[in-house]
Amino acid sequence: MNSSSGSAAGPSSGSGDESAPRRNSKRPKYSKFTQQELPACKPILTPKWVISVFTLVGVIFVPIGIAALMASNSVVEIVDRYDTECIPANMIADKVAYIQNDTINKICTRNLTVPKDMDQPIYVYYQLDNFYQNHRRYVKSRNDAQLKDADKANKTSGCDPEKTTKDGSPIVPCGLIAWSLFNDTYNFTLGNQNLSVNKNGISWKSDRDHKFGKDVYPKNFQNGTLRGGANLDPNKSLNEQENLIVWMRTAALPTFRKLYGKIHQDLKANDTIMVTLENNYNTYSFNGKKKLVLSTSSWLGGKNDFLGIAYVTIGGLCFFLATAFTVVYLVKPRKLGDPSYLSWNRNPLGH
Amino acid sequence: MNGMGWERVRMARLGGEAAVVGTRRREVADLRQVPSQTVRLGRVQPQHPSHRTIYCNDSDANFLARFKSNSISTTKYNVLTFLPKGLFEQFRRVANLYFLMISILSTTPISPVSPVTNVVPLSLVLLVSLIKEAFEDWKRLQNDNSINNTAVDVLQGQNWESMPWRKLQVGDIVRVKQDDFFPADLLFLASTNPDGVCYIETANLDGETNLKIRKALEKTWDYLAPEIADKFKGEIQCEQPNNSLYTFTGNLIIERQTLPLSPNQILLRGCSLRNTEYIVGAVIFTGHETKVMMNSMSVPSKRSTLERKLDKLILALFGGLFMMCLIGAIGSGVFINRKYYFLGLFDDVEGQFNPNNRFVVTILTMFTLITLYSTIIPISLYVSIEMIKFIQCAQFIDKDLHMYHAESNTPALARTSNLNEELGQVEYIFSDKTGTLTRNLMEFFKCSIGGEAYGTGITEIEKEQAQRSGKKLSEEARSDTTVHEKGFNFDDARLMHGAWRNEHDPEICKEFFRCLALCHTVLPEGDESPEKITYQAASPDEAALVTAAKNFGFFFYRRTPTTVMVRESHVETMGIKQDVSYEILNVLEFNSTRKRQSIVCRYPNGRLVLYCKGADTVIYERLSNASNDIRKVTREHLEQFGSAGLRTLCLAYRELTNDLYEKWNEKFIQAKSSLRDREKKLDEVAEIIEKDLILVGCTAIEDKLQDGVPACIETLARAGIKIWVLTGDKMETAINIAYACNLINNDMKQFIISSETDSIQEAEEKGDPVEIARVTKDTVKNHLKQCLEEAHGHLHGSGQKLALVIDGKCLMHALDPNLRVNLLNLSLNCSSVICCRVSPLQKAQVTSLVKKGAHRITLSIGDGANDVSMIQAAHVGVGISGLEGMQAVMASDFAIAQFRFLTDLLLVHGRWSYIRLCKVITYFFYKNLTFTLTQFWFTFQTGFSGQRFYDDWFQSLYNVIFTALPVIIVGLFDKDVSASLSKKYPELYREGIRNMFFKWRVVAVWAFFAVYQSLIFYYFTTTASQNGHNSSGMIFGLWDVSTMAFTCAVVTVNLRLLMVCNSLTRWHLLSVSGSILAWFIFIFIYSGIMTQNDRQENVYFTIYVLMSTFYFYLTLLLIPVVALLSDFFYLGIQRWFFPHNYQIVQEIHRGEYEGVGSREFLEIGNNLTPDEARSYAILQLPREKSRHTGFAFDSPGYESFFASQQGVFAPIMAWDVARRASVRSKRTSQR
């Protein structure tokens, strides 16, 4: 035994690198990360915090809500549903036949009374109801490449079923969206004076400039056996046909408004506007409503009380909750960090 | 203990005849009568039907056999297989497979979303997983390379040439130098040490650091120098490669002699050579055929309970998905109608929109919606959880300085990262006693010799006992004779310094001391003086006994293979020292079945004595009838010692006559050389001679409690964890340890179910095993019933705490399927349970009884090989990396150095992990549900067409970019209360046991808010967008509204995360603001560009359009506030009126500075030398779990009986390798 250890001592001492300074310990290195001692703030949701947060939200929300409501209230809006009115009494039983019959004159006259003074610009909207512009089959039925680029007229993928004409030449703009373009028209007269409707600048600039090409012209549009909606001027490039551009920014909900044009003239209260409209668009098939909307605008946009009401309600609710919590706090305060609240103190058996 | 080498019995069978030659002492004639010798003409065939024949030093001959090369590869993949195999592995996960199917589905026209929606998150998830796999595999490859390229000297011609390991061939002769690793499994031929031995360290195999000895066959001792080694032309016939580390059968045929080979000549790859200048060996098994590599099987991985519950949640989500799809699909079938002419539903419309066949529409829309709502399944959840857990393990648990044990230089180690959160829900801890609760630092404390008890010390447990009974023990002044060294804490003037000569029977004292000095397998090291010598022993018990002998004047100082040298003082006359050399003829090893150890030795004067020491039960069975009087007294002493918490061993001897011995030795040699069932045969032969023993006395060794155990147990008990002690010790010892550890106190009602009742003992005396079993079973049955009734009485009446003590024999019957329920009922009502004298298998059975019977989360902790089965059976296995080797650690999921670190592991890491993962999972659930539900609400207003609300890229990046990082940060950093408070208020842990944070109720609350918030997102944005939105009266389209809604969702969902946090580090804020910012940066770029490919320019410019309106800002302020207000309200109410415990604790300690003891953690650099790096690399090799059974003198052996009843095979492996030590001091001095 000893001899072996003696003989072993010799060669092993030869390895000199053993003496190099190094750490032999497996002690983990200290760092705040590994010891989980990173500096942290530890917010505790104390009653004071709860009350102050509710109060703060209330303080911020109520004024915003009131401002929004005022903005919304300052907007004057005339809404007129005309699809039921602009139908001859004899055709009421079969509205679809009426609307699909091209031979019948669709002109219809409506008189609208201005409730309050309306400052220009006055926006003219049409509102459709039960029209599923957000239906999957509808939304995808377009081809953005074709709309943008004259060279890509043949790109009609996704445009089913309005891709090509019967002889196979591509339709520009293809797809169901363009095909079903809204085609009611409105003319406004105030007394004897004709109110001109400006149909420029009704679409978002980004759409106009980037999505619809300057040199793309409608081709083979509405040439099929079934006409969906409005026709387009084949001599006007797509980016000038703003009604199409507006229409093609598909709406999120089945009830939607789209901008028809702008009237650059102030209207006075009790003025009567006569609207001469062509009731061409078929909403009778699917029991959709058609409405004409004249509206002014505020900094917030059109008439929509929702934001204002929401803000005021939430703000009010917060005030209410803050008060309620304060009352509870005053009546039956909970001592912070009361050990008697600990479950094992409440129930010594620990069950 | 040691192998056959020590007996100097070498047997060889000459070809053609059963002539045995080669024994120096015994003559050939003695062995000629051996009847069972297989004799064949020609070569002796190895007994395995298939065997390999290796021609040493003859590569041409071996070439035909086409043995595998020695290069190893532990990588899972190579360059070619990485993608297919790695992807295959990934798609075995249901979530990934689901997304693969969805991705495929989304390439069809049925899908409303482009493939990108599902492909991008899937590929990102796969990418992360694959990078992780690749990284791990790369590390494995480097590890392999470093091993494969290690140099070794190989005999080429007559020279040693250095060669990389990988070029090694079977049959090569290699030279391995000191401290090098063996490159393959070698046949040990020659060593620079005299008598052909070498010392190896097997730490890489089983983690045992003590050295083991190997001995070459005498025939081959000379092949040391290259010139001579070159002449070695042996032929090895041996078993085929297998994974049994401790067996080897084969023959070496050399010069027409057939020599049997045993594991003693085999040097396994992975071990390293110590204390030997160099050895020469022949390669037998190479590369993947080496035993260590054959053992590298993957450990079955455990899954945490939380994850299994998560699966249920995912299933529920699938259910929800199905319902949503069904509703949508039926809606679409009802909706579709030709009246919507603008949809172009003409004659030849495709199936999905064909009003003529609404059924097809419904079915197809179902698929459409599945792809649309696929985000409800949180695809990145599993990857995120994996990352979180991995970092928790590698960075937090492994590096926690609170769990670093400086004395043993051991940090905690998380061996799996699957079970972190399981640690936070443990309700039952099953603990081993020795080495776990106690230190396993054995000290010789008392003894009884010839019926006289010696030793005046008082154990801690006795003090504790005395305190309980109100007695006061005066600490006796220690006499001057007190010697206190490591392993010896004994004080009795009657024995010290030769005083024993004046005792009434000095002869029996002599036998006692000689038995201590001779009957062991300890190796001395260092100077041969009593002060400087140190003993290297397999177990601290042994070292303590030898140390005791030394202090009594029988100083064991040298061991050669054949002799033991003892310097005996005061034997003849007082004051005289003489060196006596005892010839050790046989060693009958210890193993857990035998529970005893014997040696046969020859005195210089020719006297032949068998010395035996072992557990009282086995020794008493084998005593001669003569020594009845001592027997009784000693039995009393044994009980006394036991009740003082001491570990006892009985010592006995037997005089042998030459004839008797020689006859027996023949049988022994025969058993020793048998190739089959060697261990069993050896046990049988040992049985023949170990009888008619004369009892000398018994020893008592104190096993001290580990630091902080009682405090830790008390803390754990307050945490609602119930601790069961499962030990092989005697009942008295166990009860006393339990008292000492605060597990039992006098206020508790104790139920003791013991097999030592009169009726059972009566039956035992009759000796009919069937009768014994019947009586025991009946007793146990009645007892259990009685206890159960009483327990119910106590629980409903006094509310007294209960404790159960049961012994192994009773447990065996109580675990019977009929009685199991009773046992479980009783034990679950007890706050502590002590099972004593249980076998390893029973430990595992008790564990799984609670695990499966009561469905509670169990944790097993132990340090020895006998705890392995229990560790594997429990939900969480914790190994103590202590003194008894590494077997337990290798089988465990977590390894800690001290029992007391359980507090940190469970109360801090476990609790945090649990709370964090609950938050992560519920949050994932919430954010995906919220997001998907907005889609769902939109479906109702699109005519159930399955139109997507969001852009493809929004949807695909939602999970992987915009909401990915913050939740991981929360999973890592969230802390409800600090570590010290977690330990100060252990009761907080109970919330985990009751699974407070991942109940269905919690999920339902989250689901409620998900529904609420999604409604807010959808209806607020759409309702508010109905009109003209700036002063130019222009109108928003679908994509403007959806971008708005998505912005609100991203902001809200990220802010919601901040509300679940208990502590906010800057990483929280950075990641949350970063995620929101990432969305804005993304949308600014994404909507600002036009691309050439077939992207419908839906979202072109939307964000700029939106941001030009007040609507955007007002909505962005309104919606998150409204959405979060209800959560805030809920949290406020919850905290105010129904506070969680941790919230109270937070409040108690609010504003307190969390002490950061950075100064105590000063660091030194950690550099590895090349040698260490290599050793580390080898350490990283897959390894097997050692099956060495270790020392557990008291563990009863009926495991095999029970195993056969259960149909379980419980292998009992007696590793015959002597654990030898050596110049450890020198090795450490090298460092």
Side-chain angles (χ1 to χ4, degrees), chain B residues 500 504-512 514 571 607 696:
Chain B
W500 52 269
H504 72 276
D505 192 354
E507 279 312 308
I508 205 162
C509 289
K510 260 191 244 172
E511 294 298 346
F512 184 87
R514 281 190 182 129
V571 173
R607 183 187 174 211
V696 182

Side-chain angles (χ1 to χ4, degrees), chain B residues 478-539:
Chain B
R478 290 241 151 169
S479 61
D480 302 336
T481 51
T482 308
V483 183
H484 194 172
E485 65 175 284
K486 190 191 165 201
F488 191 71
N489 183 15
F490 178 82
D491 178 37
D492 197 323
R494 286 177 293 170
L495 288 184
M496 305 305 287
H497 303 296
W500 52 269
R501 289 173 56 85
N502 302 324
E503 288 299 292
H504 72 276
D505 192 354
E507 279 312 308
I508 205 162
C509 289
K510 260 191 244 172
E511 294 298 346
F512 184 87
F513 298 145
R514 281 190 182 129
C515 185
L516 291 184
L518 296 174
C519 181
H520 56 77
T521 54
V522 174
L523 255 196
E525 79 176 22
D527 271 356
E528 290 178 359
S529 71
E531 294 79 30
K532 288 188 181 158
I533 202 156
T534 51
Y535 292 117
Q536 288 294 337
S539 82

Side-chain angles (χ1 to χ4, degrees), chain B residues 792-861:
Chain B
H792 281 300
H794 275 282
L795 276 183
H796 299 301
S798 59
Q800 201 179 5
K801 284 195 174 180
L802 312 172
L804 172 70
V805 182
I806 186 166
D807 75 357
K809 241 183 242 179
C810 295
L811 193 61
M812 184 173 76
H813 294 286
L815 283 171
D816 187 280
N818 297 326
L819 298 180
R820 218 167 243 212
V821 186
N822 283 349
L823 177 70
L824 193 64
N825 271 338
L826 177 61
S827 47
L828 289 185
N829 285 321
C830 294
S831 29
S832 42
V833 176
I834 319 288
C835 303
C836 40
R837 300 187 86 87
V838 290
S839 64
L841 192 69
Q842 283 182 315
K843 287 183 178 184
Q845 282 172 333
V846 172
T847 311
S848 48
L849 176 74
V850 175
K851 179 181 170 183
K852 289 185 184 134
H855 298 290
R856 307 292 170 87
I857 315 268
T858 55
L859 177 147
S860 287
I861 179 167

